[in-house]
Amino acid sequence: MSVPAGSDPLAALSAAGVSVWLDDLSRELLASGELHKLITDKHVVGVTTNPTIFASALAKGDRYNEQLRRLSAEGRSVDEAVFALATDDVREGCDVLLPVYGRTGGADGRVSLEVDPRLAQDADATAAMARALWEAVDRPNLFIKIPATRKGLKAITAALAEGISVNVTLIFSLGRYREVMDAYQSGLEHALEAGRNLADIHSVASFFISRVDAEVDSRLNKVGTNEAQVLKGKAAVANARLAHQAYERMLAEPRWQRLAEAGARVQRPLWASTGVKDPSYADTLYVSELVIAGTVNTMPLTTLEAFADHGTLPADVPSPTDFAAAAAHLEALERAGVDFGDVTDTLEREGLAKFEASWKELDESVAREMHAEAGAADHAGERPEGEPESAGLLAIYLNDHYTGATGGLELFRRAAQARTDAAGRAALADLARQVEEDRDALADIMAGLGVNVSRSKAAMGWLAEKAGRLKSNGHLLSRSPLSDLLEAESMLLGVLGKTACWKTLRILAETDARLPTGRLDVLLERAERQSAVLEELRAEAVARGLS
């Protein structure tokens, strides 16, 4: 249902029993008082973090410089520095949210801190790091995030048995979710045997949402039939609703009833990755469609602000009819040729790989900053010959590419909106999302190099693309049969230029520790896939327009 004009959609969401958490944390957010303001004004009652968030925070601003300088002078390793930065921020975040923790009896007021995902296949090492993080932060409202891999399940049980509250993350499939609920109950049973107070142990199970639709929609686009297109954009919500049904069934089982009688807290479902990937979908889709009492929705700031502005709540709570419809939708996907089990297996593998890449990027960012600080201390007052000129040329080079990326993004968005075929529109909408992420990645890399983005240049790129609509395609303002072809060629040239930029930076990364080699490798691989998609679209446009 629509929220009345002048009302507060986030307040209505909270009143409906959904805990509003923010998927972001940085020293800037803490020091500026913005987190406190979000708690008081936007009904935020929890915070989640991950390596990507920390790496982004480190790349923007200078609030970490003093601590990095000190850690470098002390001879600390990069891993020790990452540990110190993360635990300090999370400890302060826990302190800010402590009143919420007290007011909600420990259910909310939580801050989540992730173990090193590179340990995901080593249960003992994961449990040991969970213990180290728990002791270092030393706050009762901390959650330790542990990925729900098969090896991770053992670590989850071990951490809970020791009284450590856990945010189980990276859940995609119903089968794995049932294993997570089993691991939670096993941990509580061990804790009870050890004489621990179960009421002090809390947990959430983070079920990932938007990535499911992104992967399923991509596969449906390859199927290409009209029936397949009708199924797009619904798998993620269906999967989440079935997960909640499994959760409700678990609560009715004798095993859980015995634990509840001993004082155990429920492991609340948490909807994660709730920012939409496809710009053609409503930006509040994964909040409005998952309003279920007793759950948590952790949102990136853009999604939080969007829901605060125009979020809506459903007229009814999910019913058995909705669960049946969700199951029927997944069955329809199978009939259409989409192996949903393979979808969730793929997402888990890719999700863990992304976590590992983000952690590597975080390590590289810290190493780069520590190296820069150490260099500044060792060479105070010195300036290597030739550096100003080369640094200036690099700044011009990167800003030129950023300008091109801004204009290119507008072209991708416009081309997606103009396509009349569903498959082409979906493919270009997905590319537009990727191009925006690539531009943001370039901005992060520039920040790491100390290069400011020239907003005036970027604006000129945007204006140039707008003016470029008046091109010689045979029509002045309207589209012609050549429009798709000319746009495909322009977009392909843009991606090839971007690929060249990533290759240039990859070469420089061999001698410049400030450049994230792992991230550049991922960006290069993605650019090559983008080129392949655009080449297919270009060939199709040739057949339509010129044959």
Side-chain angles (χ1 to χ4, degrees), residues 181 185 246-254 256-257 260 266-267:
M181 291 188 287
Q185 293 175 91
Y247 164 74
E248 290 184 326
R249 288 174 175 171
M250 181 275 295
L251 294 181
E253 293 172 357
W256 173 252
Q257 292 299 322
V266 296
Q267 183 188 48

Side-chain angles (χ1 to χ4, degrees), residues 405-530:
T406 300
L409 177 58
E410 287 298 314
L411 174 58
F412 274 90
R413 287 172 172 168
R414 175 165 57 85
Q417 293 170 355
R419 287 294 287 252
T420 57
D421 60 308
R425 183 168 61 250
L428 287 171
D430 185 53
L431 286 174
R433 174 187 59 79
Q434 294 180 32
V435 169
E436 183 173 18
E437 291 176 356
D438 291 346
R439 186 187 64 170
D440 292 344
L442 178 58
D444 287 343
I445 290 170
M446 291 169 70
L449 293 170
V451 175
N452 294 323
V453 171
S454 172
R455 298 299 173 186
S456 59
K457 265 195 171 186
M460 288 304 295
W462 181 84
L463 288 170
E465 197 287 322
K466 299 296 184 187
R469 298 182 186 192
L470 304 177
K471 51 184 175 287
S472 55
N473 60 2
H475 295 246
L476 183 60
L477 294 175
S478 62
R479 295 182 67 81
S480 84
L482 285 177
S483 296
D484 286 350
L485 174 57
L486 292 172
E487 285 175 344
E489 291 182 345
S490 296
M491 289 183 287
L492 183 57
L493 288 172
V495 170
L496 292 174
K498 176 173 61 180
T499 304
C501 176
W502 299 146
K503 288 181 177 179
T504 296
L505 292 175
R506 189 63 181 82
I507 293 170
L508 294 177
E510 297 300 325
T511 55
D512 191 335
R514 297 175 299 169
L515 287 164
T517 55
R519 189 175 193 183
L520 287 168
D521 288 341
V522 171
L523 290 168
L524 261 172
E525 182 181 346
R526 181 157 75 169
E528 290 168 357
R529 292 198 301 269
Q530 292 167 356

Side-chain angles (χ1 to χ4, degrees), residues 139-442:
R139 294 295 186 272
N141 52 332
L142 174 68
F143 267 143
I144 300 298
K145 291 178 76 173
I146 301 178
T149 61
R150 289 201 177 277
K151 295 290 181 65
L153 295 171
K154 179 182 175 182
I156 290 161
T157 295
L160 291 162
E162 294 184 29
I164 297 172
S165 294
V166 176
N167 177 343
V168 183
T169 188
L170 207 70
I171 306 171
F172 293 98
S173 74
L174 294 174
R176 183 54 51 82
Y177 180 45
R178 293 187 182 98
E179 292 175 335
V180 166
M181 291 188 287
D182 177 72
Y184 178 58
Q185 293 175 91
S186 295
L188 292 179
E189 288 162 350
H190 294 326
L192 186 61
E193 291 171 3
R196 298 187 184 279
N197 183 359
L198 298 190
D200 294 336
I201 303 173
H202 291 252
S203 183
V204 292
S206 296
F207 213 81
F208 279 49
I209 309 300
S210 63
R211 296 186 193 180
V212 173
D213 273 343
E215 179 66 21
V216 169
D217 288 0
S218 175
R219 297 188 184 204
L220 288 171
N221 286 336
K222 292 177 182 177
V223 173
T225 63
N226 291 333
E227 293 80 2
Q229 299 306 308
V230 173
L231 296 174
K232 288 171 57 178
K234 301 173 184 176
V237 170
N239 197 38
R241 286 179 174 167
L242 292 175
H244 193 266
Q245 183 185 45
Y247 164 74
E248 290 184 326
R249 288 174 175 171
M250 181 275 295
L251 294 181
E253 293 172 357
R255 182 187 185 190
W256 173 252
Q257 292 299 322
R258 288 192 295 270
L259 287 167
E261 289 171 4
R265 310 270 192 157
V266 296
Q267 183 188 48
R268 289 187 296 171
L270 179 150
W271 313 128
S273 183
T274 54
V276 297
K277 306 298 186 189
D278 188 332
S280 67
Y281 295 159
D283 53 6
T284 60
L285 173 66
Y286 302 124
V287 183
S288 296
E289 291 296 318
L290 291 172
V291 180
I292 305 174
T295 64
V296 180
N297 197 306
T298 183
M299 314 173 207
L301 186 57
T302 52
T303 303
L304 183 80
E305 291 174 339
F307 195 87
D309 180 67
H310 51 267
T312 59
L313 274 63
D316 302 301
V317 297
S319 66
T321 301
D322 295 311
F323 295 141
H329 183 77
L330 296 190
E331 291 170 0
L333 289 176
E334 297 287 347
R335 290 195 299 273
V338 174
D339 183 342
F340 197 70
D342 184 65
V343 167
T344 55
D345 287 346
T346 299
L347 289 171
E348 181 180 305
R349 289 194 304 271
E350 291 182 350
L352 188 58
K354 288 176 181 177
F355 277 9
E356 291 174 353
S358 294
W359 195 276
K360 182 179 180 182
E361 179 187 343
L362 177 59
D363 272 358
E364 291 173 344
S365 297
V366 170
R368 187 166 61 242
E369 294 298 328
M370 291 179 76
H371 176 77
E373 294 297 343
D378 292 342
H379 303 285
E382 298 180 17
R383 188 165 61 190
E385 184 178 351
E387 181 175 306
E389 181 180 3
S390 61
L393 292 173
L394 180 59
I396 293 171
Y397 175 81
L398 293 175
N399 264 297
D400 283 347
H401 273 283
Y402 189 90
T403 301
T406 300
L409 177 58
E410 287 298 314
L411 174 58
F412 274 90
R413 287 172 172 168
R414 175 165 57 85
Q417 293 170 355
R419 287 294 287 252
T420 57
D421 60 308
R425 183 168 61 250
L428 287 171
D430 185 53
L431 286 174
R433 174 187 59 79
Q434 294 180 32
V435 169
E436 183 173 18
E437 291 176 356
D438 291 346
R439 186 187 64 170
D440 292 344
L442 178 58

